[in-house]
Amino acid sequence: MAEARGPRPASPIDAIEIAAKTAAWVCFIAIFALVFTGHVDTPLAIAVIVIWVSRVTLYQIKETRARWDEKDAEERELRREQQHANRERELRRQIQRLQRPER
């Protein structure tokens, strides 16, 4: 049975992801501007480094979310197993009560 999941609440990792994507796109555009204007020097190197750092950051965010999703799946499975065990225990109690002779 699939659980309904709404949109995730905003978290610090979301803000970091947005900042990294924004920085990468701004630097990507800046690289084109610098190359077309002939300013191939320090600002271009900085833009390339910022893009590289942004990509590494986005990769780490992806790995972190994958770990969190895996952990959430494990916790859901444990809750489901616990609910199943509780239900079985409750059914056994009900059966025992029904099998007791009336006094």
Side-chain angles (χ1 to χ4, degrees), residues 46-88:
I46 291 171
V48 169
I49 290 170
V50 169
I51 287 178
W52 182 77
V53 170
S54 296
R55 299 300 299 167
V56 169
T57 302
L58 291 171
Y59 177 77
Q60 291 297 322
I61 288 171
K62 181 180 175 183
E63 284 188 345
T64 300
R65 285 201 171 130
R67 280 194 313 272
W68 289 354
D69 290 345
E70 185 177 310
K71 183 180 174 186
D72 288 344
E74 289 172 2
E75 289 173 356
R76 279 193 307 274
E77 183 61 29
L78 287 174
R79 275 194 304 274
R80 199 172 338 192
E81 289 173 3
Q82 186 63 42
Q83 289 171 345
H84 182 73
N86 290 343
R87 181 69 179 143
E88 282 183 358

